[in-house]
Each structure stands twice: as C-alpha cells, then as structure tokens.
Amino acid sequence: MSALAPAVEPLTILIAEDSAADLLLLSTIVRRQGHQVLTATNGEEAVELFARERPQLVLMDAIMPVMDGLTAARWIKQLAGEELVPIIFLTSLRESAALAECLDAGGDDFLPKPYNQLILAAKINAMDRLRRLQATMLQQRDQIARHHDHLLHEQRVAKAVFDKVAHSGCINAAPNIRYLQSPYALFNGDLLLAAYTPSGDMHVLLGDFTGHGLPAAVGAMPLAEVFYGMTAKGYGLAQILREMNAKLKRILPVDMFCCATLLCLSTQRRVVEVWNGGMPEGYVHEVASGRRTPLQPRHLPLGVLSAEAFDDRTQVWPMALGDRVFLLSDGVLDTADANDQLFGVERLQQVLPPTVSPTGSSTTSSAPWRLFAVRRGTMSVWWKSSCNPGSRCVRPGCCMPTAARHARSIGR
Amino acid sequence: MSIESEVSLDGKKLTIAIKGRFDFSSHQTFRDAYERFYKVPESYVVDLKETTYMDSSALGMLLLLRDHAGGEESEVQVINTNPDVRKILAISNFDKLFDIN
C-alpha cells in the first residue's frame, strides 16, 4: 500500500505542537491522508482534548509550554487505560537519553523533524495496526471472560441439581462412614453413594466416570437414580449392577464408562459383599488378625459390556466388630508430587492402619465397622460410629487419617 | 504425542502406533488413524511400544476402535505394553476385550 494512499479506516488524530507553522503543516499532511485532525498548542490542552474527544492516535511535540509533551503523554496513557492509544513524539531531540525519556513516558515511536510525509503516513498505519490488534485482543478477552462466567453459572445450577440426586442417601447421616473428597473441578467424574436396604443392610457405591467435568457428571445422575431406587425396593447387588450396566451401556457414548465398586454390608450376617469393576484395589481390614484382604477389580467397568456378556458375580468376605473396608479411586494413587512421583500403592500401604492390631482403644470402638475411601479427585469413606481421640477419622475438625492427610499434602 | 498408522501389504491389517502420551488430547488423531481408510481391514493392532502414559480416556478410545472394528466380532490386538500400561489395562479388565501382549 502506498503511504500516501488514504488509510483503510480514517482515524481521529490529535496533534499537539506549539509552533503554529509546524502545526499547520502536520495538520495538512494528516488530513490529506484521510484522517480527522484535532489540534492543541500545549500539553494541558492536549490532555483536555483527549479526555473530551478520545482520539485514536496522538502526535505530540516533546517540548511545549504550560505542560510538556512527556507529562501530557503520561496523563493520556493513564486516561486511555487498557486501550492502546499510540503516541508518536515529534522531536528535534538527538541525544539518546532524551529520546529514551519519551518512550519511558509512554511514547510508542518518534518522528524526527523535519517531517517526512511518507514516513509519517507509514508510522500512522503501523501504529494503527498495533492499536487494532490490542483492541481485538481486549474484545476477545472480555468475550472469553463472559463465556467463562456463563459456563460457571450453568455448572453451579447443574451442580445443585446433581447434589440433590447424588446425595439423597445416607452418606452424610450414616455414623459409620467417613469419606474425603477433593474434587479436581466443580464437577468431576466421581460418585459416592450409600443407602440402607429395607432389611437394614447398607449399599455403598464408589464410582469413577471416564473424564471429568459436565459430561462425566451427566452419567452419574441416572446411575444414582438406579442405585437409590433399587436399593430402597430391596433388590440385591446383582440386579442393581445389571440395571446400572444396561442403562449406562444404552445412554453413554461408546468411549465413556464408569469404573465402580459396589458393596453390600450386612450387620446381621456380618459379611460384606463386593463387586469391583475397574476400580483400584480396596481393602477389608481385619482388626483381630491385622490382615488386609484386597478387593481386586475382577470385572470390566459399568457401561462397557452387553447384558448377555455382563458378569454380576460378587465376592463375600466376613467382617467382625471393628473391621473396616477401605475404598479409593485412582486419584489417590495418581496424585503426583512436584517431581511427578506418583503416590502409588506402596505408599498407600504404608499409611493405612497397621496390619498388626495395636493394643489400644481404636479396636474397641462401639462401631460395628468402618469403611473409608480416599481420592485425589475425590472421596473417601470410612466406617466407624464414633470418633475417639486415639483413633483416626476424617470428620472435619476432628482427627484425620494419615492416608488422607498425606494424599492431601502431596496434591496441589 | 504422535500417532502413525500403517496398513499391511495385503491390506488386511492396520497397525496404529502411539508415541508419547496417550490421553484425551489424542482423541481426534487416534480416530483419524483408523477412520481415514475407506477399505476396512480385517484386524487391528495397537502398538504401545513408545507410549509413556495412558489415562482412562485412552481406554475409551480403545473401545471406540473396538466398536469401529465390529464390536464383539472385532479383532483388536494391543501389543508392546510396558508394565505401567499393563497395570492400567489389568485394573480395568480390558484383557477381557482385547488381545493384549
């Protein structure tokens, strides 16, 4: 583009210059280039004019009476705020220090005297490009911020609905459950549900959907409905599992599924029945012998297999007074420290309750069992009816198990 | 992360090799690796020799490939799995769906 060709988009340009001859010359050149011109003969006038008319670009003489160009430039930059209003200093100054001072005051470029029309036009165009770039960037930033706020608002509303559905059970009311949940995002793919059956057994589900955020939470809603509905009607684990699997298989996209451990704890029969599809090993901790029985993942996650191929076989373990079940999701093991070292199974084993029963009050608690689970992303359950100072629990403000504390401390 | 796919000379086997992280960010590239062949091969091989990391969305992608390859009747092999990857596949019991070695 020829420098003398009219500018793409005419600008309003403020020219501050105390020499009447120079002012006339510059105004003529700039007008001829197709721009609108505002004129000031000292810095103070320039600042006032800028505040009133908001020109898009300023040509500013460095040395002027009343208020010099440097001071005026500082004021104008302050008034402009985030918007880029390029200031080109008109100067006969030659020393580096004086030129540098012009830039320090907020100037963007210089135009040496005597004025060259071609150079002036080219500089105005170059500065206009920068100005438009900055304007576009600010506009996009604001747009992103608006979208983000909107998204968060939607998520908060959805979360309120989700919490109503997901937390309608006894997870917070049951005295024998302790859990810790530290979510990665407002919504995450993790789900912890508990409810009593009509016969007084307790069903517990710890689930982990692929991915996180809203898509993962969407799958959790129907899962929770099936869990609570069928538990209340007295269905057993096998039927509940079949229904959950069939429902997820039907509604989820092929690449989404839900890893889950489902438990049925029976205080009458003193057993725990377990189905683990794709969750990391949990444990039954036998207080009397100190033995820890792993609850291995023996099945594919929910929502992968067809009804014909689905395997609903469960395992049953005896549980005595004081025994605990410990469940976790992969977030616990995958939590990394600053050096990308994962927490891992070995460290988890070290922070779990000692395998040899301590002679102490923790084994004589009045609770039938304890069950607990931890998760980076999320949650933990721990069964126990009351918390005495010598034992470990995760009730807020109460004592906390080393496992949970550690998982937290090496998190973010 | 890079994904390369190659059809055997007889056109019956498609091999997909995944280098680096196999996670959510590989979604589109992984799909392109098998969807761009208009002639459907008889069997698929996923080579994880140079895979450094795999998350649950990678498992989801394997399910997509399995579905594309014919679901229950599909023939999908997962080869060159390192111990970490094998652990992930074992926990999720994916060895029941895929031929893993």
Side-chain angles (χ1 to χ4, degrees):
Chain A
M1 180 173 61
S2 156
L4 288 172
V8 189
E9 184 194 340
L11 302 172
T12 305
I13 296 178
L14 168 62
I15 305 172
E17 166 67 79
D18 61 329
S19 141
D22 279 356
L23 189 58
L24 184 65
L25 174 66
L26 274 172
S27 305
T28 312
I29 297 173
V30 172
R31 270 202 198 96
R32 209 180 292 153
Q33 287 165 5
H35 303 294
Q36 275 201 337
V37 172
L38 304 169
T39 56
T41 53
N42 65 56
E44 200 174 276
E45 254 184 65
V47 174
E48 273 167 25
L49 210 51
F50 177 81
R52 204 167 62 228
E53 305 285 338
R54 299 293 290 202
Q56 288 134 322
L57 196 145
V58 181
L59 303 179
M60 176 89 77
D61 191 2
I63 301 156
M64 286 186 289
V66 189
M67 182 194 281
D68 66 20
L70 299 180
T71 313
R74 286 199 184 89
W75 277 106
I76 286 173
K77 286 289 178 179
Q78 204 179 335
L79 286 169
E82 289 179 323
E83 194 190 331
L84 176 64
V85 178
I87 299 179
I88 301 174
F89 272 98
L90 309 163
T91 176
S92 47
L93 297 171
R94 284 290 175 270
E95 316 108 72
S96 319
L99 291 172
E101 219 184 324
C102 289
L103 293 188
D104 285 344
D108 297 280
D109 204 352
F110 312 105
L111 186 69
K113 293 178 184 179
Y115 306 121
N116 176 316
Q117 288 202 43
L118 268 175
I119 297 293
L120 176 60
K123 287 201 175 194
I124 289 176
N125 285 340
M127 285 296 144
D128 186 41
R129 276 200 300 275
L130 280 182
R131 189 188 67 82
R132 275 182 284 134
L133 181 70
Q134 168 93 351
T136 308
M137 194 199 70
L138 288 177
Q139 201 185 352
Q140 289 176 347
R141 181 202 64 182
D142 294 346
Q143 203 172 5
I144 290 170
R146 271 198 307 279
H147 285 172
H148 184 72
D149 285 350
H150 186 67
L151 192 74
L152 275 187
H153 172 72
E154 278 187 349
Q155 289 210 355
R156 258 181 238 119
V157 175
K159 179 94 167 72
V161 177
F162 176 81
D163 286 347
K164 276 249 160 48
V165 176
H167 299 157
S168 62
C170 64
I171 194 74
N172 292 317
N176 56 340
I177 299 178
R178 295 284 181 276
Y179 69 96
L180 175 72
Q181 185 175 19
S182 83
Y184 183 66
L186 183 58
F187 266 120
N188 59 80
D190 295 340
L191 190 65
L192 178 63
L193 310 172
Y196 290 108
T197 69
S199 62
D201 291 351
M202 178 183 271
H203 286 174
V204 177
L205 178 124
L206 179 63
D208 179 2
F209 279 87
T210 11
H212 46 79
L214 209 45
V218 164
M221 306 265 283
L223 196 71
E225 297 246 286
V226 172
F227 176 86
Y228 290 126
M230 291 185 74
T231 297
K233 286 183 185 129
Y235 285 99
L237 291 196
Q239 288 135 312
I240 297 178
L241 283 163
R242 285 203 162 274
E243 182 59 29
M244 289 196 293
N245 180 67
K247 189 150 201 170
L248 292 184
K249 172 83 178 160
R250 197 168 61 237
I251 64 175
L252 293 183
V254 175
D255 57 340
M256 251 182 87
F257 50 83
C258 180
C259 297
T261 299
L262 187 61
L263 303 180
C264 172
L265 259 124
S266 170
T267 47
Q268 289 149 27
R269 288 173 288 138
R270 306 216 155 176
V271 292
V272 60
E273 187 184 355
V274 182
W275 184 93
N276 181 353
M279 288 294 273
E281 265 178 19
Y283 304 94
V284 177
H285 183 65
E286 232 177 80
V287 171
S289 66
R291 199 170 60 201
R292 212 146 49 212
T293 312
L295 305 173
Q296 285 159 345
R298 293 182 184 269
H299 304 280
L300 277 150
L302 295 170
V304 175
L305 291 173
S306 64
E308 302 77 55
F310 186 74
D311 185 354
D312 60 18
R313 276 176 299 176
T314 55
Q315 287 179 298
V316 179
W317 305 98
M319 283 194 80
L321 206 69
D323 287 358
R324 299 179 195 179
V325 177
F326 178 87
L327 302 179
L328 63 148
S329 54
D330 60 2
V332 174
L333 304 176
D334 290 351
T335 298
D337 66 9
N339 303 319
D340 272 347
Q341 285 285 311
L342 300 187
F343 185 59
V345 176
E346 275 172 32
R347 282 196 196 88
L348 176 71
Q349 297 272 5
Q350 284 164 17
V351 297
L352 282 176
T355 45
V356 177
S357 165
T359 52
S361 57
S362 62
T363 56
T364 57
S365 126
S366 58
W369 301 303
R370 305 159 194 192
L371 165 137
F372 91 106
V374 194
R375 143 122 203 159
R376 155 195 63 179
T378 331
M379 58 188 63
S380 85
V381 198
W382 179 7
W383 264 346
K384 180 178 168 296
S385 76
S386 65
C387 176
N388 53 48
S391 69
R392 298 154 160 186
C393 81
V394 288
R395 185 170 279 170
C398 195
C399 49
M400 193 192 266
T402 331
R405 213 184 299 136
H406 196 97
R408 232 184 221 174
S409 64
I410 67 168
R412 269 135 270 131
Chain B
M1 183 273 307
S2 82
I3 293 178
E4 279 165 25
S5 49
E6 192 181 292
V7 187
S8 62
L9 284 177
D10 58 7
K12 288 181 179 169
K13 187 167 89 177
L14 173 65
T15 304
I16 304 169
I18 295 137
K19 287 181 187 167
R21 290 173 69 89
F22 187 16
D23 61 13
F24 184 73
S25 64
S26 355
H27 207 274
Q28 197 51 52
T29 334
F30 186 75
R31 283 183 81 140
D32 290 345
Y34 58 83
E35 280 178 350
R36 68 195 171 96
F37 295 100
Y38 92 106
K39 194 178 159 228
V40 180
E42 286 171 19
S43 71
Y44 294 80
V45 175
V46 180
D47 187 346
L48 301 181
K49 189 171 160 193
E50 290 176 73
T51 307
T52 51
Y53 171 85
M54 190 171 165
D55 70 356
S56 66
S57 30
L59 296 177
M61 286 180 251
L62 289 178
L63 290 178
L64 279 177
L65 172 62
R66 181 173 177 269
D67 195 54
H68 177 83
E72 310 273 317
E73 282 80 46
S74 66
E75 219 178 289
V76 182
Q77 253 189 311
V78 181
I79 63 166
N80 295 322
T81 50
N82 69 37
D84 285 340
V85 167
R86 261 204 303 284
K87 213 182 287 170
I88 291 166
L89 292 167
I91 290 176
S92 54
N93 281 269
F94 267 45
D95 46 356
K96 294 186 170 126
L97 297 180
F98 300 92
D99 180 2
I100 293 168
N101 62 54

